[in-house]
Amino acid sequence: MKTKATSLSHRFFTTITGIPKTIITLGLLIIFGTAAFIPKLTIDARSESFLPDDNPALLYRDQVEQTFGLKDPMVIAVVNKGEQGVFNPQSLQLIQWLTDEVMKMPEINRDRVVSLATEDNITGNSEGMVIEPFFETPPITQKDADKVRAAVMDFPLYQGSLVARDGSATLIVTEVYDVNAAPNVYEQLLDLIARAPTNNGESLHVAGDGAVSGYLVTYINADAARLVPISVVVITLLCLLSFRTWRGTIIPAVVIFSAVAAAVGLMASVGVPVYVITTSMPILLVGVAVADSIHVLSQYYEELANHPNDSQRDLVVRTMVLMWRPVTITTLTSMVGFLGVSISSYMPPMQAFGLFSLIGLAMAGLFSLTFVPAALVMLKPIHSPAFKSNRQGLQIDFFSKIMDTIGSWVLGNTKKVLFLSVIVSVLGVMGALKLEVNESWIENFQETEAISLADKAINATLDGSNTLDIVIETPTEGDLFKPEHLHRIDALQGFLKTLPHVNGSTSIVDYIKQMNRSLNENTTSAYVIPDDADLISQYFLLYSASGDPTDFEEEIDYDYRMALVRARMDSARYQQNKVVVEATQKYLDENFNTADIKATLSGRVNVDYEWLNSLLGTQFKSVAFALILVWLLVCISLRSVYGGTLALIPVILGTLSVYAFMGVVGITLAVGTTMTAAIALGIGIDFAIHTLDRIKLLIAEQGFEPEQALRQLYPSTGRALLFSFVAVFLGFGILGLSTVPPLAKLGMLIAFSVLISFISSMTVLPALIKHLKPEFLGYQRESRHRLPADIVNE
């Protein structure tokens, strides 16, 4: 007698197969309707996109940038390892040429171009302060070049910031008017250095925060354009291998397109940009979305082989009645993994990644339950060469034989299987204890990329390419002329030099010391802060008489109430930044801030610290949420708390295996890797669900003996799970080929976790079932305490 659920499902799929043309038309309209929005996609490759727009640190950083006119710079580094460094006639002429060419670019703010060819020296003579360029025209002789070197090296402000302390490198700093033009400007700068007249051993590099964000847009576009077609081709070939029919290949392809179109199209329609991490979404969906249709088609071809005389509609309806429950629950559990990523994080990219991946999987599940049966019923029955039947029943092919062999070994060696699973669990816990957060934005590129090489060159020759800003605020106008405030800032800069990876800093104090020196016969001992506020004020008036007052706009505001201290670091990795940020904040709280003066952290390093600092919490919150919700869903599906708990064991082993692997090889938690466990948990549970659902069906509904049911599992459902696993594994594995390192790690780790989850579902889970004999699967109560002879003697 049919249960109510079976009756309802039978009526539903009878209806679906009765209107196949309508279902197919609606499905295609959904695909083309959502895909139509894809051309509207925009890209946001900034690291600060990982913070919400209302984040206090980001809001303050934006306020600081507006006050001091700061923007993420692009820099051209000129490096010359020769005896004279960059201070030779040819290199200085090259610097002038590059500066002139950069200023011709309409996207560049020429007033914010900084180089040896634009900057002024501050000296003094008998008439007072002298403000003059380091050179009006590039020197022609080495003697004149030596004079430029002497002048630059006698101005401490520029040492390490604009020019290497040993003279081997210098920077040309630029800013774009519009950040959206950054990708184009970066390409122009690369073209510029390619045609630059380097003839004296100079090497040129383009780097800087603006360059990183600019190139990253081009970089991730090229990566996605390469990997998405590869993933589609690979999964298509896999379906062709599995079913060896064109319908078994084309129908899953339509399901894939529905998932990708829904996820990416809807994201574009609501104006959510593509972030670095969401570029992986189409590739992941290709592998995950096809899994359910593989199971449906496997069951269909099995039904066709066993009942060749039945009508196509009867075959399809019976297939869907058998498969709707596992397909529905596995779709929901896969969605849960991405939901955990979305709601446990406050970072917009991770929220978008989780939400729209979830939408794509929901669409794939819907198409698997509607479009697939509608498409099948429209076609004439054609047998798959992989599914043949004879008088003894369904003949097993090569892949079924492999799974059957595995099943025979597992069921004969259950204690060994369970012992190995305990070892994996212990190693996983040990690996998890070693996990730490560590990442830098430049690590989005491979180490061989020009942008990475440029960053290394700057960090090796100058004080560093990464900046921590400290904003100094006083209550009233002109307060920063007070010597006690300037001495406090000077002490702060001295403290910063003691911190690891901080190689230098600049502030208005450096200019004041130089001005005081210039008016005291240029003596080294006069490079100090004067003890007279009125005198300091007079220095600025004198400077404005012959210099450009805007020279100080990045160091002090026009009311002389706010100032900026900029520390330069040679590392952008979180663990190094964490030490500097936290030590600086402690110093400010304990030694700097008073009622009359206050300092606040800002800048790139602080913003990156803010969002990276939350990654570890995000990791465990997303895993805990996914674990609990998946458990509840499986309990409801199997109508058993025992069953839900049992189903979690393979995915827990998969997650622990990933932690063990990460701990052993030293992979840290970063943007991509923090999402690994939650996503892998939601996807990996699918194998356990199909395993338990099929065993329950074979024992409780089809009357197989428990031992027969376990053996029957492998050549049928095991074969389908094998191809489903390979599809998911390849989907994530292809992502491992990404040239964006965080995405490559994400793909490889999830693929590894899915591998362990599949193996565990085919080994540990059946071994446990054989020993525990759970009643929810149909085992008789009285048989629970009787162990078969083969187990006793094992």
Side-chain angles (χ1 to χ4, degrees):
M1 183 176 178
K2 292 182 178 179
T3 64
K4 182 179 179 181
T6 303
S7 178
L8 288 172
S9 63
H10 190 277
R11 289 202 297 269
F12 175 79
F13 291 112
T14 300
T15 302
I16 291 293
T17 55
I19 52 170
K21 292 182 180 180
T22 302
I23 297 297
I24 291 173
T25 301
L26 287 174
L28 294 177
L29 286 174
I30 290 172
I31 292 174
F32 289 116
T34 53
F37 291 101
I38 293 178
K40 296 182 179 180
L41 278 174
T42 57
I43 297 178
D44 187 349
R46 302 169 302 140
S47 65
E48 54 263 45
S49 67
F50 279 83
L51 287 174
D53 291 338
D54 60 353
N55 180 270
L58 189 57
L59 289 174
Y60 189 73
R61 199 286 302 267
D62 291 343
Q63 178 185 335
V64 170
E65 288 190 345
Q66 185 174 4
T67 300
F68 294 100
L70 304 173
K71 286 187 177 180
D72 288 343
M74 292 189 189
V75 301
I76 298 175
V78 180
V79 181
N80 190 322
K81 295 294 185 179
E83 182 180 354
Q84 306 299 331
V86 296
F87 293 102
N88 64 80
Q90 293 81 9
S91 293
L92 291 174
Q93 289 168 19
L94 172 64
I95 292 165
Q96 182 71 63
W97 183 86
L98 288 168
T99 303
D100 293 340
E101 291 299 307
V102 164
M103 285 187 171
K104 294 177 184 178
M105 296 169 60
E107 301 91 346
I108 294 290
N109 182 352
R110 59 180 293 125
D111 294 331
R112 303 287 293 206
V113 175
V114 176
S115 77
L116 286 175
T118 66
E119 293 308 279
D120 293 330
N121 191 15
I122 303 176
T123 57
N125 56 28
S126 58
E127 297 180 359
M129 188 182 299
V130 178
I131 314 298
E132 59 185 1
F134 285 111
F135 56 84
E136 291 282 357
T137 58
I140 298 175
T141 66
Q142 184 59 50
K143 182 178 180 180
D144 290 337
D146 289 340
K147 291 180 181 179
V148 174
R149 181 191 186 106
V152 173
M153 290 305 179
D154 199 36
F155 198 153
L157 177 73
Y158 292 118
Q159 294 179 29
S161 57
L162 184 64
V163 179
R165 297 180 189 277
D166 63 357
S168 64
T170 188
L171 300 179
I172 299 166
V173 185
T174 70
E175 290 181 6
V176 295
Y177 287 110
D178 182 4
V179 293
N180 294 319
N184 180 47
V185 172
Y186 176 73
E187 295 297 331
Q188 291 184 58
L189 292 178
L190 288 180
D191 177 68
L192 178 64
I193 66 172
R195 57 186 175 87
T198 55
N199 51 23
N200 194 40
E202 301 94 354
S203 61
L204 305 180
H205 307 275
V206 180
D209 291 335
V212 170
S213 297
Y215 181 47
L216 196 52
V217 173
T218 305
Y219 194 64
I220 60 180
N221 269 337
D223 191 62
R226 179 177 64 91
L227 292 182
V228 171
I230 292 175
S231 63
V232 172
V233 170
V234 168
I235 299 303
T236 299
L237 292 175
L238 178 67
C239 291
L240 188 60
L241 176 64
S242 177
F243 304 115
R244 303 170 211 171
T245 64
W246 285 111
R247 67 184 63 185
T249 304
I250 295 172
I251 292 175
V254 175
V255 175
I256 291 172
F257 291 139
S258 74
V260 175
V264 181
L266 290 176
M267 188 167 71
S269 70
V270 296
V272 174
V274 173
Y275 302 104
V276 173
I277 198 66
T278 54
T279 56
S280 64
M281 191 168 64
I283 302 162
L284 301 186
L285 287 174
V286 169
V288 179
V290 77
D292 285 334
S293 54
I294 287 177
H295 283 286
V296 171
L297 287 165
S298 293
Q299 184 63 41
Y300 164 75
Y301 281 120
E302 188 174 323
E303 291 292 328
L304 178 59
N306 288 328
H307 308 281
N309 297 321
D310 286 4
S311 69
Q312 178 77 329
R313 189 175 183 185
D314 285 344
L315 291 168
V316 173
V317 170
R318 188 161 59 247
T319 295
M320 299 311 300
V321 168
L322 289 171
M323 295 305 300
W324 77 267
R325 185 172 59 190
V327 166
T328 301
I329 196 66
T330 53
T331 297
L332 291 175
T333 53
S334 296
M335 291 166 61
V336 162
F338 289 98
L339 181 63
V341 170
S342 182
I343 70 173
S344 64
S345 176
Y346 74 101
M347 302 179 190
M350 298 178 82
Q351 290 174 341
F353 178 84
L355 175 61
F356 291 101
S357 296
L358 179 154
I359 291 172
L361 291 178
M363 188 61 70
L366 177 64
F367 266 61
S368 296
L369 295 173
T370 56
F371 185 91
V372 172
L376 284 173
V377 84
M378 289 279 292
L379 303 169
K380 294 180 180 180
I382 295 180
H383 289 263
S384 166
F387 296 81
K388 295 179 181 180
S389 183
N390 57 23
R391 292 180 181 179
Q392 286 74 41
L394 187 70
Q395 289 183 329
I396 60 176
D397 69 350
F398 172 74
F399 299 104
S400 296
K401 289 178 181 178
I402 290 176
M403 295 308 296
D404 190 49
T405 302
I406 292 172
S408 297
W409 184 88
V410 168
L411 296 175
N413 296 274
T414 54
K415 288 185 178 179
K416 292 179 182 177
V417 169
L418 296 177
F419 176 74
L420 289 173
S421 69
V422 173
I423 298 297
V424 170
S425 300
V426 172
L427 293 175
V429 172
M430 293 171 62
L433 295 176
K434 296 182 179 180
L435 291 178
E436 66 174 13
V437 175
N438 211 5
E439 184 175 58
S440 70
W441 203 238
I442 196 67
E443 290 175 14
N444 284 301
F445 304 98
Q446 292 184 329
E447 293 183 356
T448 55
E449 281 291 328
I451 193 80
S452 295
L453 296 174
D455 189 71
K456 288 180 181 178
I458 293 173
N459 286 326
T461 55
L462 289 100
D463 282 354
S465 61
N466 311 284
T467 55
L468 174 65
D469 292 339
I470 305 166
V471 181
I472 314 297
E473 297 180 75
T474 56
T476 57
E477 183 177 338
D479 270 2
L480 284 176
F481 291 143
K482 295 180 179 180
E484 61 267 28
H485 291 337
L486 295 173
H487 280 293
R488 193 173 289 268
I489 296 172
D490 192 34
L492 170 61
Q493 290 184 254
F495 168 76
L496 290 170
K497 289 180 182 179
T498 68
L499 298 177
H501 297 283
V502 177
N503 299 311
S505 64
T506 55
S507 77
I508 193 63
V509 169
D510 299 296
Y511 280 104
I512 291 172
K513 288 180 178 180
Q514 186 72 9
M515 287 189 282
N516 186 65
R517 179 185 175 188
S518 70
L519 294 174
N520 285 275
E521 300 179 351
N522 295 313
T523 59
T524 303
S525 60
Y527 190 76
V528 294
I529 301 168
D531 290 327
D532 187 338
D534 291 333
L535 179 60
I536 294 170
S537 176
Q538 288 297 317
Y539 285 175
F540 282 91
L541 287 175
L542 287 172
Y543 188 97
S544 64
S546 55
D548 187 349
T550 63
D551 286 348
F552 305 130
E553 65 182 358
E554 289 190 9
E555 287 80 22
I556 197 167
D557 72 338
Y558 291 113
D559 293 332
Y560 303 105
R561 189 183 68 81
M562 296 178 63
L564 185 72
V565 177
R566 172 159 282 187
R568 291 177 300 279
M569 297 178 60
D570 59 14
S571 173
R573 303 211 82 199
Y574 169 76
Q575 291 298 328
Q576 284 76 41
N577 288 353
K578 183 175 186 289
V579 172
V580 173
V581 169
E582 293 179 356
T584 304
Q585 186 60 60
K586 182 179 180 181
Y587 177 88
L588 297 179
D589 294 337
E590 296 178 356
N591 302 289
F592 191 93
N593 291 338
T594 68
D596 296 325
I597 190 168
K598 176 186 176 185
T600 307
L601 296 180
S602 184
R604 167 70 57 196
V605 168
N606 186 60
V607 168
D608 288 350
Y609 165 81
E610 285 290 329
W611 67 267
L612 284 166
N613 198 42
S614 68
L615 279 182
L616 192 60
T618 297
Q619 152 84 6
F620 292 112
K621 281 195 295 184
S622 64
V623 171
F625 175 86
L627 194 65
I628 293 170
L629 199 51
V630 162
W631 177 76
L632 287 173
L633 286 171
V634 180
C635 287
I636 293 170
S637 172
L638 297 173
R639 300 177 185 177
S640 169
V641 173
Y642 191 4
T645 305
L646 203 59
L648 287 182
I649 292 175
V651 292
I652 290 176
L653 285 172
T655 302
L656 289 175
S657 297
V658 168
Y659 287 156
F661 179 74
M662 291 175 67
V664 169
V665 302
I667 296 177
T668 57
L669 288 174
V671 173
T673 53
T674 53
M675 302 188 297
T676 299
I679 296 172
L681 195 154
I683 295 170
I685 194 73
D686 294 2
F687 306 117
I689 291 171
H690 279 287
T691 298
L692 292 172
D693 188 81
R694 178 48 63 101
I695 293 174
K696 183 176 181 180
L697 175 70
L698 292 171
I699 296 174
E701 297 183 26
Q702 296 185 5
F704 280 84
E705 289 296 321
E707 188 72 19
Q708 284 182 299
L710 288 172
R711 289 302 304 270
Q712 184 70 20
L713 167 74
Y714 286 91
S716 56
T717 300
R719 182 189 188 278
L721 286 174
L722 174 64
F723 278 96
S724 175
F725 152 69
V726 174
V728 175
F729 182 83
L730 289 177
F732 286 101
I734 289 169
L735 187 60
L737 301 176
S738 172
T739 55
V740 183
L743 300 187
K745 290 178 183 177
L746 172 67
M748 288 187 294
L749 289 175
I750 294 181
F752 179 69
S753 179
V754 169
L755 169 65
I756 302 301
S757 295
F758 168 71
I759 292 174
S760 299
S761 296
M762 293 287 96
T763 57
V764 178
L765 196 53
L768 284 171
I769 291 170
K770 185 172 181 179
H771 277 285
L772 299 175
K773 301 181 173 9
E775 290 180 28
F776 77 93
L777 291 178
Y779 282 82
Q780 297 299 312
R781 182 184 297 271
E782 60 271 17
S783 68
R784 289 179 63 197
H785 304 293
R786 295 204 309 267
L787 292 178
D790 62 329
I791 299 296
V792 174
N793 297 325
E794 218 182 0

